[in-house]
Amino acid sequence: GNPPDRYLSNVVYDARTIQGVPILTPPASGYGNQDLKNEEKHEIEFGWDNRFLQRRLGLDITYYNDKIVNQIMPLTTPATVGATSVFVNVGTMRNYGVELSLYGTPVRTKAISWDSRLNLSFNRNKVVSLMEGLDYLVQANIDNGSLLVRSKPGEAAGNIYLYKRKTDASGNYVVEDNGFYSVDYENLQKAGNIQPKVTGGFI
């Protein structure tokens, strides 16, 4: 079908030749979007900074909570409509978490000073809502849908879904006559999330 009028593309097809035969191919380009709105981020943050032992030891604790409204992302479109993607205001996302920082100066003399810092960050997020007509976002599709990374309202972004092996009443995996495991292709099941539970660094 044709894309909505608000999505504009300057080039429909690229002309080229393969072994002297002229062909037309869809360009690897995106549609413009006249209805694109500014992405907005609303955030609240609280922090607590402590220093001890004549400033040779310190601890920072920060809590943040933000909401990204009208988040801009590219959505894939069928190449037959003249472009492969379009930027849209895909929805609203909420992030919240805690950042910890422990720092100090284990060695301080007239000749040398050694400063160290350990940072840890615990971030969580949730997809609040998506644009009308979009039930979920697919960030990755592996092996023709055998494994999906997707984001759905009410869930964390980047959940991993896959088909698991069937089990019998005792919990043993079911093996078919050909020697392969029997897979339950009727139900996608959540297997985890691509986001780390904690990130950090040491300086």
Side-chain angles (χ1 to χ4, degrees):
N2 295 324
D5 292 338
R6 63 181 178 274
Y7 302 154
L8 303 176
S9 179
N10 294 327
V11 180
V12 178
Y13 289 99
D14 291 332
R16 61 184 71 188
T17 62
I18 295 181
Q19 296 181 348
V21 179
I23 63 169
L24 296 175
T25 59
S29 62
Y31 279 114
N33 183 353
Q34 296 183 71
D35 293 340
L36 201 62
K37 300 175 184 176
N38 289 336
E39 180 177 295
E40 299 177 6
K41 183 176 182 181
H42 309 272
E43 182 172 8
I44 186 170
E45 184 174 309
F46 300 98
W48 185 26
D49 184 9
N50 301 274
R51 303 191 184 197
F52 312 97
L53 304 176
Q54 297 180 341
R55 304 172 69 87
R56 290 187 61 178
L57 179 65
L59 174 66
D60 287 345
I61 302 175
T62 303
Y63 168 80
Y64 62 90
N65 193 319
D66 69 57
K67 183 167 69 171
I68 302 173
V69 181
N70 294 325
Q71 185 169 20
I72 298 173
M73 289 182 63
L75 292 185
T76 302
T77 59
T80 52
V81 302
T84 55
S85 65
V86 60
F87 279 97
V88 298
N89 296 110
V90 74
T92 300
M93 170 92 69
R94 181 173 294 282
N95 291 284
Y96 57 95
V98 175
E99 295 176 349
L100 301 176
S101 182
L102 178 65
Y103 54 93
T105 306
V107 177
R108 181 188 291 167
T109 68
K110 292 181 179 180
I112 188 173
S113 179
W114 168 25
D115 297 324
S116 294
R117 188 179 192 98
L118 174 66
N119 298 311
L120 297 173
S121 180
F122 304 84
N123 182 69
R124 300 293 178 266
N125 66 27
K126 184 169 70 172
V127 179
V128 177
S129 63
L130 293 175
M131 62 182 287
E132 185 178 353
L134 191 63
D135 295 329
Y136 54 83
L137 289 171
V138 176
Q139 282 83 34
N141 184 328
I142 310 299
D143 197 14
N144 199 28
S146 295
L147 185 146
L148 297 173
V149 178
R150 70 183 191 185
S151 301
K152 185 178 179 181
E155 298 181 357
N159 277 340
I160 302 170
Y161 287 87
L162 48 74
Y163 297 107
K164 292 189 176 181
R165 292 169 287 184
K166 292 182 180 179
T167 56
D168 59 21
S170 301
N172 301 310
Y173 292 121
V174 176
V175 179
E176 298 178 352
D177 294 337
N178 58 13
F180 291 101
Y181 288 113
S182 179
V183 180
D184 181 9
Y185 288 111
E186 298 297 322
N187 299 296
L188 271 173
Q189 299 185 46
K190 180 182 171 183
N193 190 282
I194 62 172
Q195 299 179 73
K197 288 182 170 56
V198 60
T199 58
F202 179 72
I203 302 171

